[in-house]
Amino acid sequence: MASNSSGGSSDRQRIAQQRLRIIAGHLQRPVDGDSAILAAECKAQGSKPDTSREEKTVPRRRQEIMKWNGWGYSDSRFLFNKKGQAEFTGKRYRLSGMIIPGLKDWFECTFGASLQHKTPATPLLNSSAVQPPTLNEAFVEELKSTGIPFSQDAEDRVFRAHGHCLHEIFALREGKFGRVPDMVVWPNCHNDVVKIVELASKHNVCLIPYGGGTSVSSALECPPEETRSIVSLDTSQMNRILWVDEKNLTAHVEAGIVGQDLERLLNESGYCTGHEPDSMEFSSLGGWVATRASGMKKNIYGNIEDLVVHIKMVTPQGVIEKSCQGPRMSTGPDIHHFIMGSEGTLGVVTEVTMKIRPMPEYQKYGSVVFPNFEQGVACLREVARQRCAPASIRLMDNEQFKFGHALKPQVSSIFTSFLDGLKKFYITKFKGFDPNRLCVATLLFEGDREKVLQHEKQVYDIAAKFGGLAAGEDNGQRGYMLTFVIAYLRDLGMDYYVIGESFETSVPWDRVLDICRNVKARIVRECKERGVQFPPLSTCRVTQTYDAGACVYFYFAFNYRGLSDPVHVYEQVEHAAREEILANGGSLSHHHGVGKLRKEWMRETVSNVGMGMLKSVKDYVDPNNIFGNRNLL
Amino acid sequence: MTNTYRDSGRAGLVDERQFVDILEERRHSSDLGHALRTFNPHPYQGAAPCSAAELNKAVLEAQYLRYVTKEIAMETGSSVEEVRKEACGILEEMSQNLQLGFIRLMGYTLTKVFKRLFTSIFVNMEGLNMLQQAIQETPVILMPNHRSYVDFLIISYILFTYDIPVPVIAAGIPLAGMKMVGEILRRSGAFFIRRAIGSDKLYWAVLSEYVKAIVRKGYAPMEFYVEGLRSRTLKSLTPKLGMMHMVLEPYFKGEVFDITLVPISISYDRVLEESLLAHELLGVPKPKESTMGLLKASKVLQEDYGTMHVNFGRPLSVRQLCHGKINRCQYNLIPRDLPQKPTAEAQACVSWLAHLMVRIQEEGSLISPWSLMACLLLQAPITVLTEEGLLWQQLTEKTLWLRKLALDYGARLNWSGQAPDSDVMSSAVALHCSIVHRKAGRVYLVQEEELARKRPISLEEGVTRTAAAVLMLASYRNQLLHVFVRPALLATAIHITKSTQRNELFTFFCFLQDLFSYEFIFIPDKLSQDFEEACLLLKKCGAVHISQQEVTLSDMGLEALSFLQALLQPFIDSYQVMFRYLSEEGVNVFTEKQFLPAVRNLATKLILSGELHTYEALSSDTQKNVLSALRRLEAVTKLRASEQNEYKVNKAAVRRTGDILSGKIPPQMLQTTPDARL
Ligand SMILES: Cc1cc2nc3c(=O)[nH]c(=O)nc-3n(C[C@H](O)[C@H](O)[C@H](O)COP(=O)(O)OP(=O)(O)OC[C@H]3O[C@@H](n4cnc5c(N)ncnc54)[C@H](O)[C@@H]3O)c2cc1C
């Protein structure tokens, strides 16, 4: 994640401090401490700039800071410089401004790609290529009278027409736009949303809630068959923490707030939610609720469903919410579970009460190297059995281990020590480890110092039983820091004929190894059968542990030179991989959701009756399909 | 669809260049040198190597076996520990102990034996190369047919010679009982399976875990006979599904990404056991498989057995084969280790695949000129063969005609174009001097002389004597039945029904397939395809015209048509004899032990009275097949309460079956349930 501070201190006792700073992320300007937490009234005066909002990350015009056809901030990207060395631009991240000498070789060897063969993206967004908006005049008229800001600008509309699936970004890079929303509205608060939904219902306008735009399930895509006017309801300006309840350790937050702001603001008063999905720089609280998101540190803090205490959602039938904030209830099926995972099909989540925790006193990274992936999985399984998983524990396979290697920057305290360390490891400790089989687990411990150290020992002891050797803190920390820049790498690949994506599943423990092997092999075989010239990168990691299973991520990328329709090939392979996942007892999704990308498998996933249940809820809550993004069902 | 699994464009005269004679080199270089060659194969890359002891340990510790052990302990009231010990014992009896040293020893011995028995052993290099590749990528199952004890270690021998990992081999337990040999085989990679496992739950569990562990670990290629045993008739046997299921399950359950099946067709010019087998079929008991037995058999080692062909088929991906046939999600909701009955879907898929493999084995086997001649000899009246002699001229002309038909039908003929045809046929007859001899331009059946000389033989003994020779002939005919069986069924249908209506012929064709389903191999679910193929082949040889509705005879193809129909006549006649026996008064409940001699007596009587023209009715194989077919048609039922495997006859049903087969009941009266078999 981006950070203002560039000098890394290796002083371990300052790590907690440092972590704070990492999370304190992207502030363009220093925060005014008091303004962070306020009991604000809704001010629906879009025309007048709101000063209290300036410190927030996401402006209405996202184009001011973000790419229109790639991941993240405009100023941050990977490129190969004139010397052919990879470098990461900007100042926001620890890696910013650094040279990554190993990347080129890895890239060329892994993909058979070459720096000579470029596939640059269309540089500018050509507004004239965007379909003119279909407007519902009556709706627009009435909306104007509410004073809620909106826009019909082509750029604004294009920004809200996609998430970050490969096919979406690929099309943008080629300057192709499909159906895009006809306008964008920016409600400021719950009441604004109520008004918008009422008007939309009245005038039969299609609404698509938009949070951070990080969806990877085609959830934000406008259904091409939709003939009504489509309005993107951008929640980004509903981004305040409305109150913090220190007695019950909860915070009441507007749903449009993005993860980094939420954490930063809470941190300032000594709290955190601990919810850190990899997309937390840009994804929003409402998006998390709508997709049933999962954070890296769920072992301590829980997934989004464990974190929410109360949800308010505006639907065409009215507002749905519970009457109290009891920590658990037996009142029939939990209505929160109709809302969580509804993917914008039922209404707009506007406000959420979330659990908060005091910030951890101490954090410590770690890493373990295993002789092979099998041993690594066995270790994670044992850790889960003993219920002693650290805040985060992730197991990378051998290919990812090598990839991590290739991403070592040239100079940095953290990185150099690792470099030397690793060399030493190879010579001494890892003798007998096959460099083509070994794999690495990264760890993050949190809590009070004493307990962290105790916990650490317990985990390392278990690891030792499975042939695991501790491989240093820096190695672990580096792994987690790369989390936030890896998303930028795909854009680099796309500059040189390489496309790829990751996808995830959850699976019972006894199936983990089988599913990893089979899905990776399936990807390789499918690529070969579809004429992909060079063997693809097909790798995986286990990213979460549960009592009864694990979450597994697959990464898949290939060089598409020689293919006439690479995205189609990509999609066919991903489709086959998903079939393979399901055939191996994996779930349709652990946290990315279904959207439109995976909806063909919904029926077999939840059974006919299950589909009927979901459909009848939709039919009652939104009989006219105002929330017409057509996800899930 | 089938074509995708088979080697296309390879039918016809076999190109000898594809095949390499592996004995050639052995004849020129040191046998010891071969046995001691450096052996450095590329094994399966997907798993770490593991020792025999580790394999056994993994089997005993498997969750599945733990479940079963517990279950059995509960059922029998013994302690888990006792059951576990028993499992250990079973595993000990079963497990192989593959060691390179013994492979070398085996290699040395086999070189000696093979060189003595065979002129050449031909192996297709292309198949070996593909196998070598496949072995590195997935667990591999080698699936040879089994026509002679000689081929038991031939695959290991070849793989050893070409630096490919040698297999572990599923073998019958009697082999294990042979002194020394058992242990040598064990160390050469054999693991031993009891013959009649029946309902021994623990045994099944240990065996299936053992097999699955080998597949999962990619421990070594695994070799097994999908036909279950050595075919005594040289005809393919209905595949056994138990082992096949065990082998496939790791794929079904996602424990491996894929499994490669390699069908292997081993064909002989002449089979060592030919006479032994014929006598077995006639009810002369088979000597126990003992070391002494083998040594005694060493007399057979003096003779010439021509060549042997080992044809490695194209490696087949189970994943591809099973696509759309098995929904692997069915294992998602129950722990995969839990003992469970396979679902109907899984069973159907296993059965389909097993049949397919046998069909591919058939298609990969090489047909010798002698098989063609045997076919034709069998169609001559028996008195011609035993007394007058068949004109050599006539036989050779007809053989050349049949050669063309076989080639048209896509058979792989081992008939080299280099030698003159007459030489080829002469040497075929010379090689089979145990069955026929040629004298003064005529060919005669050889009958066991010594027996005849001792004392005058009874008429019945005379029948048995002739029968032995006929059954030997029949076994060589059987090697090529698969080429002709589909069009032959249609020719028979046309002959019996006298119908020209396509749908009626199809109905009758289905009836015949059903009736002969133990006799010939048909892939389940493919009735209409088989029928289409039959139509096409009959048309190809000019025997019929085919339209939407009709199949009409053409004059040009009468010769082919009558040949094809005559090919099946012995089966039809034999079946009718047994139907007749079962319809007789007094036969109501019987055991197999009673059935076989009784039918044999009846058949002998009928042969002597001139009513029955085929000696094949005397074969216990045919007799057992009839029983199985009738059980399947529910004309005979096994009595459940009975301890001695008693059967009960439904005489009306048997009679009806016989009447359909003789054409008394017209095909319109048959209920068409084309896919009723599935
Ligand atoms: C690089 C990267 C890393 C990621 N890592 C993670 C991760 O670690 N864990 C994880 O869970 N996910 C991850 N994701 C997926 C994605 O970030 C999550 O699905 C996230 O919850 C989406 O939030 P968002 O605010 O961006 O929603 P959007 O993408 O804007 O919308 C997603 C869906 O939710 C609906 N929606 C959005 N806001 C609301 C609202 N207020 N009310 C009703 N419906 C709404 C939208 O209509 C849409 O259907 C990652 C994605 C990327 C690109």
Side-chain angles (χ1 to χ4, degrees):
Chain A
M1 165 159 223
S3 162
N4 282 343
S5 61
S6 54
S9 151
S10 58
D11 180 358
R12 273 169 208 162
Q13 298 186 326
R14 289 178 53 85
I15 278 187
Q17 203 53 44
Q18 187 187 323
R19 172 89 194 152
L20 231 179
R21 247 180 289 131
I22 292 169
I23 290 186
H26 311 277
L27 273 189
Q28 313 287 315
R29 264 163 262 167
V31 204
D32 172 1
D34 301 316
S35 68
I37 294 161
L38 70 172
E41 282 299 304
C42 175
K43 291 163 259 163
Q45 33 198 227
S47 46
K48 198 170 101 196
D50 185 340
T51 42
S52 74
R53 205 154 289 130
E54 270 182 327
E55 78 276 5
K56 300 294 169 57
T57 302
V58 187
R60 249 189 273 171
R61 291 181 59 79
R62 300 173 79 82
Q63 46 273 52
E64 286 165 8
I65 58 163
M66 281 181 229
K67 298 194 188 83
W68 68 276
N69 60 358
W71 177 254
Y73 295 106
S74 307
D75 55 22
S76 302
R77 54 186 293 244
F78 282 97
L79 51 78
F80 286 113
N81 63 23
K82 295 216 173 71
K83 285 193 221 150
Q85 287 174 315
E87 102 185 40
F88 190 56
T89 65
K91 295 199 184 80
R92 293 175 188 271
Y93 299 87
R94 298 295 299 268
L95 205 60
S96 298
M98 292 192 191
I99 301 282
I100 304 130
L103 190 56
K104 173 170 174 277
D105 278 353
W106 178 85
F107 183 72
E108 292 189 332
C109 292
T110 305
F111 297 108
S114 154
L115 299 197
Q116 312 309 318
H117 302 296
K118 288 203 71 172
T119 42
T122 316
L124 293 174
L125 197 164
N126 173 9
S127 298
S128 63
V130 179
Q131 273 181 12
T134 311
L135 293 179
N136 182 318
E137 295 300 343
F139 172 79
V140 176
E141 276 314 304
E142 283 205 51
L143 185 65
K144 263 186 198 155
S145 68
T146 63
I148 299 170
F150 66 89
S151 159
Q152 291 153 16
D153 170 67
E155 276 193 13
D156 287 336
R157 290 161 52 218
V158 166
F159 259 85
R160 278 130 192 115
H162 67 85
H164 282 271
C165 289
L166 174 81
H167 67 270
E168 294 172 316
I169 300 302
F170 196 91
L172 291 175
R173 287 171 60 94
E174 302 219 300
K176 291 189 183 139
F177 312 108
R179 179 85 162 92
V180 305
D182 298 300
M183 59 190 268
V184 181
V185 288
W186 286 275
N188 255 315
C189 62
H190 172 78
N191 285 338
D192 283 358
V193 175
V194 172
K195 282 180 212 155
I196 296 168
V197 172
E198 271 169 14
L199 288 182
S201 298
K202 182 170 163 196
H203 298 290
N204 196 22
V205 159
C206 173
L207 287 180
I208 299 186
Y210 180 91
T214 64
S215 159
V216 280
S217 62
S218 300
L220 293 170
E221 258 175 35
C222 297
E225 66 272 29
E226 180 57 78
T227 52
R228 297 173 296 184
S229 181
I230 299 180
V231 175
S232 175
L233 188 154
D234 183 334
T235 60
S236 63
Q237 307 310 302
M238 299 168 34
N239 54 14
R240 289 159 298 188
I241 296 175
L242 297 177
W243 47 253
V244 171
D245 177 346
E246 295 192 287
K247 288 192 178 144
N248 292 305
L249 287 183
T250 55
H252 192 64
V253 189
E254 287 184 314
I257 195 165
V258 293
Q260 59 167 313
D261 288 350
L262 178 61
E263 287 313 284
R264 178 171 41 77
L265 295 172
L266 286 175
N267 285 176
E268 281 160 11
S269 31
Y271 294 106
C272 66
T273 65
H275 184 66
E276 297 184 14
D278 292 358
S279 58
M280 71 177 286
E281 291 172 282
F282 305 106
S283 58
S284 71
L285 173 54
W288 302 335
V289 171
T291 58
R292 294 181 65 91
S294 168
M296 176 183 92
K297 299 195 293 193
K298 73 93 193 154
N299 291 336
I300 294 185
Y301 301 96
N303 287 315
I304 194 70
E305 68 272 19
D306 310 308
L307 282 164
V308 296
V309 175
H310 185 269
I311 307 175
K312 209 190 254 187
M313 178 166 80
V314 180
T315 79
Q317 289 284 17
V319 174
I320 174 173
E321 63 180 319
K322 291 185 188 173
S323 66
C324 68
Q325 311 215 45
R328 182 182 186 275
M329 307 186 197
S330 174
T331 50
D334 190 337
I335 56 162
H336 282 173
H337 285 284
F338 290 122
I339 299 170
M340 284 187 288
S342 60
E343 302 193 357
T345 60
L346 299 178
V348 185
V349 175
T350 53
E351 290 171 14
V352 178
T353 307
M354 259 184 121
K355 296 179 196 170
I356 56 172
R357 300 289 305 161
M359 290 185 62
E361 168 193 312
Y362 188 65
Q363 277 190 323
K364 192 169 181 190
Y365 291 97
S367 65
V368 183
V369 174
F370 293 96
N372 56 46
F373 192 65
E374 289 76 9
Q375 301 273 74
V377 169
C379 171
L380 262 62
R381 203 278 160 269
E382 185 57 29
V383 165
R385 196 196 311 274
Q386 296 192 21
R387 291 203 169 158
C388 64
S392 168
I393 176 164
R394 290 175 173 176
L395 179 72
M396 264 70 83
D397 71 1
N398 183 262
E399 288 82 3
Q400 294 209 7
F401 166 78
K402 289 178 180 162
F403 173 51
H405 236 323
L407 278 174
K408 278 177 315 198
Q410 207 158 37
V411 271
S412 153
S413 57
I414 288 193
F415 298 117
T416 36
S417 65
F418 173 59
L419 197 79
D420 299 341
L422 200 82
K423 268 188 201 139
K424 224 180 290 159
F425 272 132
Y426 269 134
I427 299 160
T428 57
K429 279 193 176 177
F430 292 163
K431 260 212 304 231
F433 279 36
D434 178 350
N436 289 312
R437 287 179 66 87
L438 64 80
C439 74
V440 61
T442 57
L443 312 167
L444 170 61
F445 297 92
E446 253 185 39
D448 66 62
R449 190 157 186 281
E450 199 106 326
K451 283 209 187 106
V452 162
L453 296 178
Q454 230 177 318
H455 192 176
E456 189 187 25
K457 180 170 182 323
Q458 187 185 8
V459 172
Y460 283 119
D461 284 350
I462 294 174
K465 283 201 201 108
F466 296 90
L469 294 174
E473 272 179 71
D474 298 343
N475 197 0
Q477 180 169 12
R478 208 174 117 258
Y480 286 101
M481 285 188 4
L482 287 175
T483 300
F484 296 103
V485 297
I486 276 179
Y488 287 95
L489 263 177
R490 184 171 73 184
D491 294 334
L492 178 70
M494 285 208 268
D495 286 339
Y496 297 92
Y497 280 100
V498 172
I499 52 178
E501 182 106 274
S502 62
F503 42 90
E504 43 73 22
T505 187
S506 54
V507 64
W509 276 116
D510 75 307
R511 293 270 199 171
V512 171
L513 279 177
D514 290 332
I515 207 169
C516 289
R517 178 202 334 103
N518 292 351
V519 173
K520 288 200 288 185
R522 179 78 183 263
I523 288 171
V524 172
R525 186 177 279 195
E526 294 284 334
C527 280
K528 197 164 155 195
E529 278 168 13
R530 292 172 204 289
V532 176
Q533 312 276 318
F534 213 79
L537 175 71
S538 176
T539 106
C540 70
R541 54 163 81 171
V542 179
T543 61
Q544 291 290 5
T545 63
Y546 292 88
D547 285 352
C551 169
V552 179
Y553 250 86
F554 295 96
Y555 293 76
F556 154 46
F558 64 88
N559 178 345
Y560 67 83
R561 287 195 72 200
L563 297 180
S564 59
D565 191 350
V567 172
H568 182 62
V569 170
Y570 168 79
E571 284 172 341
Q572 284 179 315
V573 177
E574 187 188 335
H575 188 275
R578 181 59 62 181
E579 297 260 312
E580 192 63 34
I581 287 173
L582 299 176
N584 283 277
S587 65
L588 189 53
S589 170
H590 169 264
H591 60 265
H592 281 169
V594 174
K596 288 177 275 288
L597 193 61
R598 285 174 277 274
K599 94 186 184 166
E600 70 182 275
W601 290 289
M602 261 305 267
R603 188 170 293 275
E604 65 184 83
T605 299
V606 302
S607 81
N608 279 329
V609 178
M611 273 305 258
M613 275 169 119
L614 295 181
K615 238 184 112 10
S616 63
V617 170
K618 167 78 178 171
D619 288 346
Y620 169 75
V621 174
D622 183 18
N624 297 319
N625 196 27
I626 296 304
F627 290 91
N629 59 19
R630 297 185 200 242
N631 292 336
L632 279 174
L633 297 175
Chain B
M1 181 175 76
T2 25
N3 290 334
T4 52
Y5 310 131
R6 301 182 186 162
D7 304 314
S8 53
R10 290 256 227 99
L13 294 177
V14 166
D15 181 359
E16 289 292 344
R17 278 168 309 184
Q18 288 173 354
F19 283 88
V20 166
D21 177 8
I22 58 167
L23 289 187
E24 179 73 19
E25 205 191 324
R26 295 286 73 72
R27 293 194 201 279
H28 298 305
S29 61
S30 142
D31 294 346
L32 202 58
H34 171 256
L36 296 177
R37 65 190 302 281
T38 41
F39 182 62
N40 201 2
H42 295 289
Y44 173 50
Q45 295 165 340
C50 121
S51 70
E54 283 167 334
L55 178 70
N56 289 4
K57 185 157 168 275
V59 170
L60 287 175
E61 283 170 4
Q63 184 70 46
Y64 167 72
L65 212 55
R66 271 192 251 164
Y67 279 129
V68 178
T69 311
K70 230 193 208 157
E71 233 175 67
I72 292 173
M74 293 259 283
E75 284 163 12
T76 59
S78 37
S79 75
V80 170
E81 202 34 51
E82 278 164 0
V83 182
R84 237 184 84 82
K85 275 216 188 95
E86 205 183 322
C88 268
I90 293 174
L91 187 62
E92 210 162 285
E93 170 195 281
M94 181 182 301
S95 57
Q96 52 77 30
N97 186 14
L98 183 58
Q99 292 173 4
L100 187 56
F102 279 79
I103 293 291
R104 295 188 187 284
L105 174 65
M106 173 277 297
Y108 184 73
T109 321
L110 287 185
T111 302
K112 298 275 181 220
V113 174
F114 288 150
K115 281 202 292 199
R116 170 166 284 179
L117 290 177
F118 299 104
T119 351
S120 346
I121 296 179
F122 285 110
V123 177
N124 66 325
M125 284 301 132
E126 192 195 352
L128 265 190
N129 291 338
M130 290 190 288
L131 172 62
Q132 182 153 37
Q133 190 59 36
I135 274 183
Q136 296 172 44
E137 289 165 7
T138 71
V140 165
I141 313 299
L142 302 166
M143 302 178 68
N145 55 2
H146 192 23
R147 299 292 174 263
S148 165
Y149 277 132
V150 182
D151 55 42
F152 184 69
L153 284 172
I154 186 72
I155 308 291
S156 310
Y157 181 78
I158 296 171
L159 299 197
F160 170 68
T161 306
Y162 287 95
D163 227 20
I164 301 174
V166 290
V168 293
I169 312 168
I173 210 107
L175 282 176
M178 297 161 78
K179 271 185 228 129
M180 288 272 295
V181 176
E183 197 47 37
I184 292 175
L185 292 181
R186 202 184 282 281
R187 297 192 183 194
S188 307
F191 66 94
F192 297 101
I193 307 174
R194 290 183 194 160
R195 276 274 187 268
I197 306 174
S199 54
D200 186 338
K201 206 161 146 183
L202 187 63
Y203 193 85
W204 274 116
V206 175
L207 174 60
S208 86
E209 187 57 40
Y210 189 62
V211 168
K212 287 187 280 187
I214 291 171
V215 176
R216 275 194 292 252
K217 288 184 179 295
Y219 176 85
M222 191 170 105
E223 177 182 333
F224 82 100
Y225 303 118
V226 66
E227 296 169 298
L229 358 125
R230 190 171 50 123
S231 164
R232 273 138 181 79
T233 59
L234 302 195
K235 204 165 51 179
S236 309
L237 303 177
T238 309
K240 300 273 181 295
L241 305 184
M243 190 73 156
M244 190 77 196
H245 190 267
M246 293 172 201
V247 162
L248 294 175
E249 208 178 64
Y251 169 72
F252 291 169
K253 293 190 168 173
E255 294 165 332
V256 294
F257 176 69
D258 199 354
I259 296 172
T260 302
L261 304 181
V262 179
I264 302 170
S265 313
I266 303 177
S267 339
Y268 296 91
D269 274 357
R270 186 176 166 212
V271 176
L272 262 76
E273 298 96 325
E274 53 178 19
S275 153
L276 199 69
L277 292 174
H279 285 92
E280 264 179 55
L281 290 172
L282 290 169
V284 182
K286 167 189 169 203
K288 246 190 127 184
E289 279 149 297
S290 65
T291 314
M292 270 319 278
L294 251 194
L295 292 179
K296 271 187 205 147
S298 63
K299 152 173 100 111
V300 299
L301 297 186
Q302 310 301 326
E303 294 185 34
D304 177 10
Y305 294 91
T307 62
M308 169 180 183
H309 276 87
V310 183
N311 189 7
F312 287 83
R314 191 149 57 84
L316 300 170
S317 149
V318 167
R319 174 174 276 268
Q320 265 166 27
L321 289 168
C322 293
H323 184 77
K325 288 199 150 54
I326 194 97
N327 177 4
R328 285 178 291 152
C329 294
Q330 64 187 286
Y331 303 100
N332 284 356
L333 293 180
I334 299 172
R336 290 175 294 169
D337 312 307
L338 215 58
Q340 264 191 298
K341 263 224 175 77
T343 59
E345 184 191 59
Q347 277 173 322
C349 181
V350 168
S351 164
W352 171 80
L353 204 49
H355 282 83
L356 178 69
M357 294 311 284
V358 176
R359 285 288 296 126
I360 298 175
Q361 286 174 352
E362 286 186 337
E363 293 189 351
S365 56
L366 265 79
I367 290 167
S368 65
W370 171 246
S371 289
L372 298 174
M373 300 173 88
C375 248
L376 295 165
L377 285 165
L378 277 174
Q379 295 196 3
I382 193 72
T383 49
V384 170
L385 293 184
T386 53
E387 288 158 28
E388 299 133 46
L390 183 66
L391 276 174
W392 174 249
Q393 173 77 12
Q394 199 185 331
L395 177 63
T396 51
E397 273 171 23
K398 196 77 198 205
T399 303
L400 290 176
W401 170 84
L402 185 56
R403 179 178 107 143
K404 183 174 176 311
L405 187 68
L407 286 177
D408 279 351
Y409 282 11
R412 292 163 164 246
L413 276 191
N414 173 26
W415 191 319
S416 116
Q418 276 137 16
D421 290 339
S422 59
D423 291 3
V424 171
M425 288 183 281
S426 296
S427 57
V429 167
L431 186 66
H432 292 278
C433 57
S434 56
I435 308 177
V436 292
H437 69 274
R438 189 173 147 196
K439 206 170 69 187
R442 286 175 185 270
V443 182
Y444 301 86
L445 204 59
V446 172
Q447 312 212 25
E448 286 163 330
E449 298 290 338
E450 322 120 82
L451 195 82
R453 252 184 264 122
K454 273 183 206 150
R455 58 185 168 85
I457 57 165
S458 67
L459 287 175
E460 284 79 9
E461 280 169 330
V463 170
T464 311
R465 206 170 61 134
T466 311
V470 170
L471 289 189
M472 281 201 265
L473 262 189
S475 65
Y476 291 102
R477 170 207 61 196
N478 287 346
Q479 289 180 320
L480 60 54
L481 271 180
H482 62 93
V483 176
F484 295 113
V485 68
R486 272 148 276 265
L489 286 182
L490 180 56
T492 302
I494 293 172
H495 177 74
I496 293 176
T497 62
K498 308 277 183 286
S499 170
T500 58
Q501 295 302 304
R502 227 180 134 118
N503 57 350
E504 290 178 7
L505 289 172
F506 180 61
T507 309
F508 203 80
F509 183 88
C510 296
F511 163 76
L512 288 175
Q513 265 210 12
D514 217 10
L515 187 65
F516 291 133
S517 58
Y518 291 88
E519 214 66 62
F520 315 114
I521 303 301
F522 303 108
I523 298 175
D525 226 350
K526 284 196 50 183
L527 274 167
S528 17
Q529 274 156 286
D530 281 342
F531 182 71
E532 289 308 318
E533 188 185 320
C535 289
L536 218 74
L537 291 178
L538 281 194
K539 194 175 139 186
K540 197 167 178 182
C541 65
V544 296
H545 302 291
I546 292 177
S547 70
Q548 267 325 67
Q549 258 85 46
E550 285 193 316
V551 178
T552 46
L553 294 186
S554 120
D555 302 336
M556 279 162 48
L558 285 183
E559 192 178 9
L561 218 49
S562 69
F563 165 78
L564 290 171
Q565 184 246 316
L567 194 62
L568 293 191
Q569 199 60 47
F571 296 95
I572 291 177
D573 291 346
S574 305
Y575 275 51
Q576 288 290 20
V577 170
M578 287 174 247
F579 295 161
R580 176 165 157 187
Y581 168 76
L582 289 172
S583 316
E584 273 172 15
E585 294 294 317
V587 182
N588 287 313
V589 172
F590 61 91
T591 63
E592 194 178 288
K593 268 212 188 99
Q594 295 165 330
F595 179 72
L596 298 187
V599 171
R600 198 172 294 135
N601 279 341
L602 175 62
T604 309
K605 247 196 304 183
L606 293 175
I607 289 171
L608 286 173
S609 71
E611 265 183 87
L612 178 64
H613 299 291
T614 177
Y615 284 71
E616 293 184 49
L618 296 170
S619 157
S620 60
D621 181 69
T622 316
Q623 293 157 0
K624 286 177 190 164
N625 288 342
V626 171
L627 260 195
S628 307
L630 288 176
R631 278 188 65 194
R632 180 196 171 95
L633 297 170
E634 287 168 7
V636 160
T637 39
K638 200 168 188 168
L639 292 182
R640 227 182 276 147
S642 158
E643 276 178 17
Q644 297 124 0
N645 285 339
E646 283 179 310
Y647 300 95
K648 187 177 178 327
V649 197
N650 172 347
K651 289 189 187 297
V654 171
R655 240 175 258 132
R656 185 178 142 83
T657 309
D659 287 348
I660 299 171
L661 187 59
S662 66
K664 274 191 206 138
I665 298 178
Q668 301 93 291
M669 306 285 284
L670 299 185
Q671 271 146 359
T672 23
T673 43
D675 291 320
R677 310 212 277 134
L678 300 162

